[in-house]
Amino acid sequence: MKTLILFGCASLRQGPRAIAQAKKIGLHPILIDTADNIALFNAGYDQTVEQHVVKDKSYKAAYLIINKLAKSHNLAAIYTFEEYSVEICAKLSQTFSLPGSSPESVSLVRDKSLCRNCLREAGMLQPLSARVTSFEEATLFMKRSAADLYIIKPIDAAGSQGVSRIERDNKQQLSLAIALLLPVQQKNFLIEEFVSGNEYSIEGFFHQERPVFLGITSKSLFPGDSFVESMHVFPAKLSSSLQKNILHQVKCALDATQLTVGHFHVECWLHDETVIIGEIHNRPGGDYIHLLTEIATGIETYTSVFKQFNSLPTTDVTSYGQIYNVGIRYFNASPGKLSSITGIDEVNEHPNVILTEINVKKDDHIQLITQSSQRVGCMIAKHNSVDELLELLDWGTKRVKFEVD
């Protein structure tokens, strides 16, 4: 039996399904993560899986454990669905001669500035951008640009952490945007022209180093200046011509980055009918998008990749059709001290609701949402009709109320 290393995968959102799907196709999964993450995982996971603890998720710490395991296990692959572990896994896969995208390609897409430049050099439309190290360099960039709005963001963060929109020549907004970055990020960050348009993401996986597209996800944001998603719906309601255009552009982008193995999650803007590629990730989509695609298409998220690691036929995971429209909607709550939550039981009783999640408890202080980790909870539902799905998600988020003092 071959062994699959699941590195940094002690997450209750994806871990149990990844473990189950690995076992289902005859792989022996081994979970490697930090002690804190594994403790949290085990508190909500009641099945058996081999586990090993690392002091941190560095290459050195991971190598020491995996090198020892390689002496007694037939390793099939080293896999992660965690954004901050994809580079380490790519390097480890290369070290142990296991399947994976090249470390150079993964590092490229993790660096937003390098990725922008790569796509631009490939002839793809990209917003004007620059890697800067200070307030003065950011100001100089804006003087050389003709745009009115700009985005400040970390080079390699995720979950909308540190993302701000600023107006041209507004020094106060620029100072605040830089202050919202972590200290290490303030010395190396991205400034780019703001792109308007509807936002989407494209989900899929590589098969024999070629992309297989599961579909396109639509994205909605919380009101105001937030860059945090409030809703995802899969598949997106788009004309066939727009879908073909988006998928063509994504294939060009993936070819340019030379990613070849695992999952991909590619973000884009649609301005009228012009497609502009955003960030590219060598992992499944977060925010439960990995579950939406599975329910909508009937293709198990991790099986599609794991079968290739175990040298199994993949015909059943490369041919699919739409079964449901599936969506996730995040609950909204006013800032303050949480006193009670009502309506969640009623929402859970609806036959089309797949799951609900509450991330806060009584007496927690709810913050204004500026990054994904601050969202208070969500619901996921399915329906044959996309319009009725949207009505159901709207109903559910209105029924669940967060009372604050």
Side-chain angles (χ1 to χ4, degrees), residues 60-318:
K60 182 179 179 180
Y63 173 82
L64 291 174
I65 286 182
I66 295 173
N67 189 48
K68 186 180 294 183
L69 290 169
K71 296 175 182 178
S72 56
H73 293 74
N74 181 13
L75 299 186
I78 301 169
Y79 175 84
T80 190
F81 48 67
E82 184 188 48
E83 177 68 18
Y84 293 110
S85 294
V86 292
E87 284 184 276
I88 292 169
C89 280
K91 293 175 183 176
L92 289 165
S93 296
Q94 184 181 68
T95 298
F96 290 96
S97 300
L98 297 172
S101 295
S102 72
E104 294 79 14
S105 294
V106 177
S107 294
L108 170 70
V109 299
R110 281 282 295 132
D111 187 307
K112 296 176 175 63
S113 181
L114 290 179
C115 193
R116 284 265 184 266
N117 292 338
C118 172
L119 299 182
R120 198 176 289 116
E121 290 170 4
M124 305 189 71
L125 184 62
Q126 287 285 282
L128 187 65
S129 63
R131 181 194 300 267
V132 295
T133 62
S134 65
F135 175 94
E136 291 75 19
E137 288 185 10
T139 301
L140 183 60
F141 172 85
M142 288 191 286
K143 287 181 178 179
R144 293 174 175 172
S145 164
D148 293 321
L149 294 172
Y150 299 87
I151 295 295
I152 299 289
K153 62 171 68 173
I155 288 292
D156 60 358
S160 301
Q161 182 269 315
V163 180
S164 300
R165 179 170 56 191
I166 63 172
E167 299 170 352
R168 181 184 185 86
D169 298 328
N170 193 319
K171 294 183 178 181
Q172 183 178 3
Q173 288 183 354
L174 176 58
S175 294
L176 178 59
I178 295 174
L180 290 174
L181 299 171
L182 299 175
V184 67
Q185 296 170 344
Q186 295 175 10
K187 301 175 183 178
N188 182 27
F189 59 94
L190 185 73
I191 181 170
E192 62 184 16
E193 294 180 345
F194 175 73
V195 178
S196 61
N198 295 324
E199 297 184 50
Y200 299 90
S201 64
I202 299 80
E203 327 304 338
F205 60 92
F206 293 100
H207 177 248
Q208 297 179 349
E209 300 191 352
R210 296 181 179 180
V212 175
F213 295 107
L214 292 173
I216 303 169
T217 308
S218 65
K219 177 166 76 172
S220 301
L221 303 178
F222 281 103
D225 293 330
S226 173
F227 291 95
V228 180
E229 294 90 346
S230 63
M231 181 171 68
H232 293 289
V233 173
F234 183 92
K237 195 173 182 179
L238 292 166
S239 67
S240 59
S241 61
L242 278 177
Q243 290 183 51
K244 288 179 181 178
N245 187 17
I246 291 172
L247 297 185
H248 171 71
Q249 293 295 323
V250 171
K251 185 180 185 305
C252 291
L254 292 173
D255 288 345
T257 61
Q258 298 184 26
L259 294 175
T260 55
V261 176
H263 293 94
F264 58 82
H265 167 73
V266 182
E267 300 170 10
C268 76
W269 295 275
L270 190 59
H271 184 75
D272 295 329
E273 294 193 3
T274 300
V275 179
I276 304 172
I277 300 297
E279 296 175 14
I280 299 175
H281 305 275
N282 196 191
R283 58 164 174 79
D287 282 359
Y288 277 119
I289 291 174
H290 48 84
L291 180 59
L292 304 191
T293 60
E294 188 169 299
I295 295 167
T297 66
I299 300 298
E300 292 182 334
T301 301
Y302 313 98
T303 299
S304 59
V305 171
F306 293 173
K307 274 195 168 185
Q308 298 176 66
F309 294 157
N310 206 20
S311 303
L312 295 174
T314 54
T315 305
D316 58 330
V317 297
T318 55

Side-chain angles (χ1 to χ4, degrees), residues 371-385:
Q371 57 190 53
S372 301
S373 59
Q374 295 170 327
R375 292 176 296 198
V376 295
C378 66
M379 63 175 288
I380 297 177
K382 63 182 182 180
H383 207 288
N384 294 326
S385 162

Side-chain angles (χ1 to χ4, degrees), residues 324-344:
Y324 292 107
N325 297 283
V326 191
I328 178 169
R329 181 84 175 263
Y330 285 87
F331 301 128
N332 202 357
S334 301
K337 184 179 179 181
L338 181 63
S339 58
S340 66
I341 303 172
T342 59
I344 192 71

